[in-house]
Amino acid sequence: ELPFMNERHLRLNVIGDTARLPDDVRQTLADTVAATAGNEGMVLTLALSYGSRSEMLAAVRLLASQVAKGEITVDSIDEGLFSSALYTADLPDPDLVILTSGEMRISNFLLWQLAYAELYFTDVLWPDFSAETLDEALAEFARRQRRFGLIAEQLPGSEEKSH
């Protein structure tokens, strides 16, 4: 799919414990990620051998190793540093997560990154997910007030709205 991705300026990204994959698959992935690294269109992220709990444990181990080596201090570990140790360090946190098939759980997926994401649930099965279904999800997302942990009165401009 490399020619397809390059023609459309897609960048391939992979998250997960790729060390568990066969050598030839891991090499093909690495080559494709490298060959699309300069593409500035959409980013396609494959989650392979991925679990969010494992991701967070790997981040903790990395940071603990850096503390042990004297590269960082315990006090320097904050949300930003922790986020930079995750598989998704070079990606923005998702704004919208669409869960299909009537599933009402996030199933160990991006647990840290989903802190302020909007969740949209649909009974539509993934194979039947269409452009129309996506439009419905996006329309619902557009109707929501994104507060990022604040209450409505704390949002900028809320004083003007209440008068």
Side-chain angles (χ1 to χ4, degrees):
E1 303 297 325
L2 182 58
F4 176 88
M5 286 188 274
N6 282 330
E7 287 169 13
R8 288 159 182 81
H9 310 286
L10 301 175
R11 180 168 61 100
L12 180 65
N13 187 50
V14 180
I15 60 173
D17 184 5
T18 58
R20 297 177 59 191
L21 299 172
D23 290 342
D24 60 328
V25 172
R26 198 169 54 248
Q27 187 60 55
T28 300
L29 277 171
D31 292 346
T32 306
V33 167
T36 62
N39 292 348
E40 296 181 1
M42 187 184 323
V43 178
L44 170 63
T45 300
L46 298 178
L48 301 173
S49 190
Y50 172 85
S52 190
R53 289 179 174 187
S54 295
E55 174 187 29
M56 287 190 277
L57 286 173
V60 168
R61 288 183 184 114
L62 173 66
L63 294 173
S65 172
Q66 291 175 338
V67 168
K69 293 176 186 174
E71 297 171 353
I72 62 172
T73 65
V74 170
D75 291 337
S76 69
I77 300 173
D78 58 12
E79 287 186 22
L81 189 57
F82 185 78
S83 291
S84 74
L86 295 172
Y87 298 145
T88 56
D90 62 338
L91 299 172
D93 288 345
D95 291 311
L96 173 65
V97 176
I98 301 170
L99 298 128
T100 61
S101 310
E103 298 296 337
M104 301 291 265
R105 63 179 184 272
I106 53 176
S107 302
N108 195 27
F109 182 70
L110 300 178
L111 297 175
W112 177 268
Q113 299 87 337
L114 291 181
Y116 295 109
E118 296 290 326
L119 305 178
Y120 178 82
F121 300 94
T122 179
D123 290 331
V124 175
L125 301 175
W126 175 246
D128 301 322
F129 196 87
S130 65
E132 180 181 304
T133 311
L134 177 61
D135 287 343
E136 290 169 13
L138 294 174
E140 170 60 28
F141 177 73
R143 287 189 289 273
R144 297 183 184 181
Q145 182 183 48
R146 308 277 325 272
R147 296 190 310 255
F148 301 96
L150 302 174
I151 60 172
E153 291 77 20
Q154 294 173 310
L155 293 173
S158 64
E159 294 167 2
E160 297 144 12
K161 294 176 189 171
S162 62
H163 294 297

